[in-house]
Amino acid sequence: MAIHALTTTGFSFHLPFPKCSTAYSRSAGDRARTLCCSSGDGEFSGLINVSTESEFERRGGAQMAKSSDGKRSIQSSDGELGAKNSEIWQLFREAQRNILSLDKQRALAVEELNKAISEKKLLLERIEELEIEKQAMARKDQVSICWELLLRIDSMVLTGTISSGEASQMRQLIMDQKVSILDAFTEILQKKDAELLAELRQLSDRRNKNGFHIVHICTEMAPIASFGAVASFVTGLSQALQRKGNLVEVILPKYGSMDLNEVQGIRETEVEYYSYYNGQLHGNKIWTGVICGIGVTFIQPLYYSSFFNREKAYGYSDDFERFMYFSRAALDYIVKSGKKPDVLHIHNWQTAIIGPLFWDIFVQQGLEGSRILFTCHDIHSQPLIQPEKLALCGLDPTKLHRPDRLQDNPNTHLANIMKGGIVYSNKVVIMSSTHSKGHIIHSSSHGLETTLNMHKDKLLVSPCGFESSSWDPEKDKILPENYSADDMKGKSVCKIALQQKLGLPENASIITVGCFLSDLSDLSDVDKEDLIAIVKNGTRLAVQFIFMTTGKMKSGQKELESLQVKIESLQDENVRFINRHDETLSHLIFGGSNIILCQSLHDPILQVPLKAMRYGAAPIAITSNDNGFRHFPDHDYETTKLAMFINSTFGYLSFSQALDEINNNPSEWNHKVFDAMTKDFSWDAECCDIYLSAYTAIKSL
């Protein structure tokens, strides 16, 4: 018997008997039983409602017979009707089983369809991502090809294949005609130097120079040599400058701990070159490659090979000698390779000695058109040396150890290398996200107030940039749901996910506070007590706290353990302390938090305040005392836009004030969060603009 159609609301069968209709009723409390049959086409349609088959049969069977008009009628015949009833019951049960089976199949089909739709959506998103990555890689490869050509020219100079003068012309040719160069030489990078030179010499000698040629001489660069704030700065700013049409390269020491797999097109120059140190010339090996689309040269001392084959980059008694050697070797390399950069960009005390070296020795060696820009990332770090050590790199101590040059201000018998970088540079940029030029000179100069005040006309202040492509709540794949300033629904989803992940009470309306702890030696005892007070007061108001260490502890491990014991001793269900770094969880903490407690609002390494603002969380400095020091707006006209914004928006708030505003003035709070999320703090924004203005100014000197 074929079943034509089954649904949850009706069913039909082809049956071997005619239309019939039988109904029974019982006394009160009994259930009605109904049997309905369809017309003589053999289809059965309707509902049978009988408590049991035996009950149906007991009710007195009915026998179907044909009347004189040809229609079927029901007669009472227990035998024949009982057989028919049994057949109907069998069909009914089979129909029920088929209905349930079809329902299950339908549910599975719907589930599979939804899964297919979801997979299709994810696939389309992935295709779009791959296309974007492909385009980015194509642009990156173009820059890398350009840099491989330039670095090949450098090695040709060292091997004597071409003169420094011709090398300079060819570098200019590549810089001026980058697009045509890329089209012409993408396929011949593997050819010999002679073939490459022949092709280059055939190109037009047009000169339409745009942008600057900048050489960073530094001791750090992300990701290959990341030790502090300089590393991310050099890479981030260099990429931003190149995106705006400038040519930027980097010279680094070749540390023994480097992973050269991070370097694209790594090449070892076949010949040595020599640099001066301690009265003699010493051989160095040169390596070249491309990192993040930036041409990089590595200097490897041969005689003083131990200088950079160490476990750490800094922290040794001969640090001054090591980096003095590198600084002199970098300048010797620039001269011998025939480079004529517009700007030599030096960093911190480690390469500050390049200022005096350049003006006293190298400016007359073909670098007359170059200028010096000095960036101070950490003005507090000012190693002092015996003046006679300056002679190691060929400088005259008696000429330099003077109050207006390298003589330290409070310790007049010693030389201050940081001071030398300030005095001998054409422009000085001090990195700060919160302070103005006036505040730095008069309140944060660490003994250099006289020097900074004397050279204030060439002093600039710049904020750090931010790698916004890696930290963007609108595109962050780690977050359970993305969100933006215009649509914040996803932030509540992130908060619930964070609470679930850490076993916290789940409620999107609870105020959640994240805190990333790095080097606790930077926190005073008062700050630590303030932090404990914040947690105690906050938990009374059901505020949730999540602490995570960054994994980059330089010192203060005992202080961390002590702080952890104090926090965990509160034994509050709303507090979690995670003594390890988890990159995935850190994204979720930023995404799910309303407030991020910061050890400092100027954080060039971890960039916690900038990440917080990008993810719609308020950066609040650690202090519970409303009368304590706060970053009030500084109306000095030489204050950065970032400093003005962060100080006037969040810097003046204590933690208790922030809680009060969230609870009692949500519209004002949401406005602040919106403003912070929509500001551009990337490397391409204010930071890059300040440096371009500085380069422009010094080239006119």
Side-chain angles (χ1 to χ4, degrees):
M1 297 180 185
I3 299 176
H4 285 246
L6 294 172
T7 68
T8 57
T9 58
F11 51 87
S12 61
F13 304 95
H14 284 294
L15 297 176
F17 46 84
K19 178 180 179 181
C20 59
S21 179
T22 304
Y24 301 93
S25 63
R26 299 182 63 181
S27 59
D30 288 349
R31 298 169 58 190
R33 286 92 175 162
T34 304
L35 175 63
C36 299
C37 300
S38 64
S39 59
D41 61 358
E43 287 191 345
F44 173 84
S45 178
L47 176 64
I48 298 175
N49 186 13
V50 183
S51 58
T52 64
E53 180 180 3
S54 59
E55 174 70 12
F56 181 78
E57 293 174 350
R58 188 179 64 78
R59 282 292 185 173
Q63 184 177 11
M64 289 176 279
K66 203 168 188 180
S67 62
S68 59
D69 60 0
K71 294 183 178 180
R72 302 271 181 181
S73 62
I74 298 177
Q75 300 177 359
S76 47
S77 172
D78 289 346
E80 186 177 346
L81 187 56
K84 296 295 182 181
N85 291 342
S86 177
E87 188 177 1
I88 290 171
W89 266 104
Q90 183 179 355
L91 290 170
F92 176 71
R93 288 169 177 163
E94 184 178 348
Q96 283 182 317
R97 287 193 296 271
N98 287 332
I99 290 170
L100 292 174
S101 176
L102 286 173
D103 275 347
K104 290 180 181 178
Q105 292 177 17
R106 181 185 63 81
L108 289 173
V110 171
E111 183 179 343
E112 289 295 324
L113 179 61
N114 290 335
K115 183 178 179 182
I117 292 172
S118 178
E119 289 177 350
K120 179 183 177 182
K121 182 180 178 182
L122 290 173
L123 181 61
L124 291 173
E125 289 177 354
R126 184 57 183 155
I127 291 172
E128 184 179 355
E129 289 176 4
L130 290 173
E131 185 62 30
I132 293 172
E133 290 176 7
K134 180 181 177 182
Q135 294 173 3
M137 285 300 296
R139 290 192 296 269
K140 179 179 177 181
D141 288 342
Q142 289 177 349
V143 175
S144 299
I145 290 169
C146 182
W147 263 115
E148 287 189 44
L149 287 169
L150 291 167
L151 294 171
R152 284 277 295 276
I153 291 173
D154 294 348
S155 65
M156 289 182 212
V157 176
L158 295 178
T159 56
T161 305
I162 58 175
S163 67
S164 60
E166 186 178 9
S168 180
Q169 293 176 358
M170 289 188 174
R171 289 191 193 97
Q172 191 65 61
L173 178 64
I174 293 172
M175 291 159 56
D176 292 349
Q177 303 183 41
K178 187 183 299 182
V179 174
S180 59
I181 291 288
L182 292 173
D183 291 340
F185 297 110
T186 300
E187 298 180 358
I188 67 167
L189 280 173
Q190 304 304 320
K191 293 188 177 182
K192 295 180 180 180
D193 288 349
E195 296 172 296
L196 181 60
L197 283 173
E199 296 286 349
L200 283 172
R201 285 165 176 161
Q202 290 178 9
L203 288 178
S204 169
D205 197 33
R206 291 197 314 267
R207 290 293 179 268
N208 297 310
K209 184 176 180 182
N210 293 310
F212 298 102
H213 179 197
I214 302 144
V215 178
H216 288 277
I217 305 176
C218 51
T219 55
E220 300 180 26
M221 181 185 183
I224 196 167
S226 296
F227 311 117
V230 179
S232 59
F233 173 88
V234 169
T235 304
L237 179 62
S238 297
Q239 289 178 312
L241 288 167
Q242 289 200 152
R243 283 191 287 267
K244 296 190 177 184
N246 302 282
L247 189 71
V248 189
E249 61 179 302
V250 177
I251 301 178
L252 289 169
K254 186 178 180 296
Y255 298 103
S257 59
M258 279 179 171
D259 181 6
L260 296 181
N261 291 325
E262 298 279 355
V263 185
Q264 180 181 344
I266 185 72
R267 290 169 57 93
E268 178 183 359
T269 304
E270 296 178 358
V271 297
E272 301 173 12
Y273 89 98
Y274 293 87
S275 63
Y276 178 89
Y277 183 77
N278 198 17
Q280 298 181 22
L281 294 176
H282 298 281
N284 303 280
K285 181 69 72 175
I286 291 294
W287 299 69
T288 60
V290 180
I291 300 175
C292 301
I294 304 160
V296 182
T297 299
F298 303 96
I299 296 178
Q300 179 185 7
L302 298 178
Y303 182 78
Y304 289 99
S305 58
S306 65
F307 272 179
F308 302 109
N309 283 330
R310 302 183 185 183
E311 183 180 355
K312 302 181 298 181
Y314 313 127
Y316 300 97
S317 60
D318 62 345
D319 276 357
F320 172 71
E321 288 84 353
R322 296 166 61 222
F323 295 115
M324 174 189 281
Y325 180 97
F326 164 70
S327 297
R328 172 75 196 236
L331 287 172
D332 280 321
Y333 167 73
I334 288 172
V335 169
K336 292 175 183 177
S337 62
K339 295 179 185 289
K340 297 183 184 296
D342 297 303
V343 180
L344 295 175
H345 193 150
I346 60 179
H347 302 265
N348 277 352
W349 71 264
Q350 286 88 352
T351 53
I353 197 66
I354 285 175
L357 279 169
F358 177 83
W359 292 110
D360 283 8
I361 298 174
F362 285 90
V363 71
Q364 300 300 325
Q365 298 184 29
L367 297 178
E368 294 85 354
S370 300
R371 295 294 179 264
I372 305 290
L373 187 142
F374 176 49
T375 293
C376 180
H377 302 265
D378 181 9
I379 199 170
H380 179 266
S381 182
Q382 301 175 30
L384 306 180
I385 62 165
Q386 297 294 330
E388 54 267 25
K389 284 189 175 183
L390 296 171
L392 290 171
C393 61
L395 292 170
D396 182 354
T398 58
K399 181 180 177 182
L400 295 175
H401 193 235
R402 292 166 35 178
D404 60 338
R405 298 187 181 180
L406 271 68
Q407 185 181 60
D408 186 59
N409 296 335
N411 302 285
T412 56
H413 63 292
L414 298 174
N416 187 326
I417 306 304
M418 177 81 80
K419 178 179 176 179
I422 295 169
V423 172
Y424 280 85
S425 296
N426 299 102
K427 282 287 183 183
V428 178
V429 182
I430 296 180
M431 303 302 295
S432 177
S433 299
T434 56
H435 296 313
S436 67
K437 177 176 172 177
H439 184 277
I440 290 170
I441 292 175
H442 301 295
S443 303
S444 302
S445 58
H446 298 281
L448 290 175
E449 179 176 355
T450 303
T451 303
L452 292 175
N453 200 45
M454 184 181 299
H455 296 273
K456 64 182 178 182
D457 290 341
K458 65 181 183 183
L459 178 64
L460 299 171
V461 180
S462 172
C464 291
F466 177 59
E467 190 52 59
S468 55
S469 61
S470 303
W471 291 87
D472 183 354
E474 199 167 357
K475 301 175 183 177
D476 193 333
K477 296 300 181 183
I478 293 176
L479 299 182
E481 185 170 322
N482 296 118
Y483 60 93
S484 66
D486 295 321
D487 183 4
M488 293 288 283
K489 292 184 214 173
K491 189 162 180 68
S492 296
V493 176
C494 293
K495 178 180 286 191
I496 294 295
L498 176 62
Q499 292 166 335
Q500 290 175 343
K501 177 95 173 167
L502 298 177
L504 291 163
E506 296 175 25
N507 188 334
S509 64
I510 292 176
I511 296 175
T512 304
V513 179
C515 183
F516 295 89
L517 300 171
S518 54
D519 193 353
L520 289 193
S521 61
D522 291 340
L523 284 178
S524 68
D525 291 337
V526 173
D527 289 333
K528 294 168 191 172
E529 291 304 317
D530 284 344
L531 184 56
I532 298 297
I534 284 173
V535 177
K536 286 181 178 179
N537 295 333
T539 51
R540 293 192 189 104
L541 301 172
V543 174
Q544 294 176 339
F545 291 89
I546 301 158
F547 294 90
M548 176 183 280
T549 57
T550 63
K552 296 184 178 181
M553 286 280 182
K554 294 180 290 183
S555 60
Q557 187 63 38
K558 290 183 178 179
E559 290 90 338
L560 172 66
E561 293 171 358
S562 174
L563 181 63
Q564 181 177 356
V565 168
K566 290 180 180 179
I567 290 175
E568 291 181 341
S569 68
L570 299 174
Q571 297 182 341
D572 193 285
E573 67 171 356
N574 284 316
V575 179
R576 296 290 183 272
F577 197 105
I578 304 156
N579 194 359
R580 60 183 172 81
H581 181 67
D582 184 324
E583 185 67 16
T584 299
L585 183 55
S586 69
H587 281 248
L588 196 55
I589 291 173
F590 281 109
S593 296
N594 303 99
I595 292 173
I596 298 291
L597 289 175
C598 302
Q599 293 183 227
S600 170
L601 294 182
H602 174 64
D603 182 2
I605 299 177
L606 299 177
Q607 298 189 315
V608 170
L610 295 180
K611 292 174 184 175
M613 290 191 289
R614 190 72 184 88
Y615 279 66
I620 302 295
I622 296 174
T623 174
S624 63
N625 182 1
D626 292 346
N627 296 319
F629 173 76
R630 309 219 58 79
H631 295 282
F632 288 101
D634 189 338
H635 298 288
D636 186 328
Y637 70 96
E638 294 186 83
T639 300
T640 66
K641 295 176 184 176
L642 174 60
M644 283 292 292
F645 177 79
I646 196 170
N647 289 336
S648 62
T649 308
F650 300 111
Y652 71 93
L653 289 173
S654 68
F655 180 73
S656 61
Q657 289 171 331
L659 291 184
D660 181 68
E661 190 164 306
I662 291 174
N663 291 320
N664 300 319
N665 195 356
S667 61
E668 177 63 24
W669 181 265
N670 292 335
H671 179 69
K672 289 178 179 179
V673 170
F674 178 86
D675 278 354
M677 292 184 71
T678 54
K679 287 285 188 295
D680 184 3
F681 302 125
S682 68
W683 290 108
D684 297 86
E686 184 176 18
C687 181
C688 187
D689 291 342
I690 288 173
Y691 276 94
L692 282 174
S693 68
Y695 298 149
T696 302
I698 63 177
K699 276 303 291 179
S700 64
L701 297 176

